[in-house]
Amino acid sequence: MVDNRYATALVIGSVLSLLATVYLSVAVGTPHWYQYRSPPGNHEASNASELREDFVNWEFDEKTHSNTLVHLNGTLGLWWRCVHWLKETDPKMVTQCESFTLPQQFVPKYKKPGNDKAGEDLLRTYLWRCQFLLPLLSLAFVFLSGLVGVCACLCRSITPTLGVGVLHLLAGLCSLGTVCCFLAGMDLFHRVSVLPDGVDGSLGWSLYLALISSPLQMMAAALFLWAARSHRQNYTRMTAYRVA
């Protein structure tokens, strides 16, 4: 039988885990990790149609990609990229989004964006790949911990909760690593590709959701680990008392 304190910790940990999973899933599936804002009249209207065509039909070229996002108020995510512009005949903002294909996620980055003769920038290349793989790994850890939790319920044992806590801790580290890799990658990119005058870049709400999910997963991990360890110690003391 599980003490009420441990049961409460497990319930709170499960709620935190569910919130973290929802936040991370939304963050991964939305294109608002980073956003560019250019002032009106800075979109180079004469070249806007060409930029939009490049956005849809391009073969992955980092320079073309970034140039389109910068001049068309683009937003960038882990799996998606979007551009926003005003129609000439309609003042409403038009949004067009395209997803990164799997091969595009593993395209190497170069020391000079768009120039493959400049040599590969290994640090930026692996930061980009890690920011794509780490959130998937985090969600996989949470899913696996859910399976372990179900098994613990079926076995009517709290001992497997220790494994659930460890998996949530790993998931939290992966979520935090995703945010760190993305921020480091964007910082390195803007060092070699300076933004035009008047264009501002800022972090988007998707990144903050991912950032929030990490401490939630770690708090859930702490509760699971505490419940498993405390119950184990209490069980050991009770067993020793009965033997005595």
Side-chain angles (χ1 to χ4, degrees):
M1 185 175 179
V2 180
D3 188 277
N4 287 337
R5 294 174 301 167
Y6 308 144
T8 301
L10 295 178
V11 171
I12 295 175
S14 299
V15 172
L16 292 176
S17 175
L18 179 61
L19 285 175
T21 302
V22 172
Y23 286 168
L24 182 60
S25 299
V26 172
V28 169
T30 50
H32 296 281
W33 285 65
Y34 200 86
Q35 55 195 12
Y36 295 98
R37 291 290 178 266
S38 56
N42 194 43
H43 298 177
E44 299 182 13
S46 60
N47 199 31
S49 59
E50 181 180 343
L51 289 173
R52 292 196 295 270
E53 290 178 3
D54 290 340
F55 178 75
V56 176
N57 302 319
W58 63 322
E59 292 186 4
F60 195 90
D61 178 87
E62 192 176 20
K63 184 176 182 180
T64 304
H65 157 70
S66 61
N67 188 51
T68 304
L69 293 178
V70 165
H71 288 94
L72 293 180
N73 291 310
T75 56
L76 178 66
L78 300 185
W79 293 356
W80 292 88
R81 61 190 189 277
C82 297
V83 291
H84 313 269
W85 71 90
L86 293 173
K87 281 187 175 181
E88 297 178 0
T89 58
D90 191 344
K92 291 183 180 180
M93 184 72 75
V94 177
T95 300
Q96 185 172 358
C97 296
E98 294 288 334
S99 63
F100 290 106
T101 64
L102 187 60
Q104 288 172 350
Q105 294 282 11
F106 293 92
V107 169
K109 309 297 180 185
Y110 299 105
K111 295 178 180 178
K112 292 183 178 179
N115 184 1
D116 56 356
K117 295 181 180 180
E120 183 178 354
D121 189 330
L122 291 177
L123 180 57
R124 289 203 304 119
T125 296
Y126 284 100
L127 284 174
W128 181 279
R129 294 174 182 177
C130 286
Q131 76 183 30
F132 168 69
L133 295 173
L134 285 177
L136 299 180
L137 194 58
S138 176
L139 293 173
F141 281 137
V142 174
F143 178 74
L144 183 59
S145 70
L147 294 180
V148 174
V150 171
C151 293
C153 292
L154 294 176
C155 298
R156 296 183 178 181
S157 172
I158 197 174
T159 302
T161 308
L162 182 64
V164 174
V166 172
L167 289 172
H168 273 82
L169 180 60
L170 293 175
L173 292 175
C174 287
S175 299
L176 182 60
T178 301
V179 175
C180 292
C181 287
F182 183 86
L183 292 175
M186 292 302 297
D187 180 67
L188 291 173
F189 173 73
H190 288 142
R191 290 184 184 181
V192 297
S193 181
V194 181
L195 292 177
D197 293 336
V199 176
D200 294 322
S202 61
L203 303 178
W205 57 266
S206 298
L207 181 140
Y208 290 111
L209 281 182
L211 188 60
I212 293 172
S213 71
S214 177
L216 289 178
Q217 289 170 328
M218 291 184 180
M219 286 189 288
L223 288 171
F224 290 135
L225 292 172
W226 174 82
R229 186 170 182 274
S230 298
H231 179 76
R232 179 69 177 176
Q233 290 177 342
N234 186 53
Y235 178 79
T236 302
R237 285 196 298 267
M238 291 295 294
T239 302
Y241 174 77
R242 290 175 181 175
V243 172

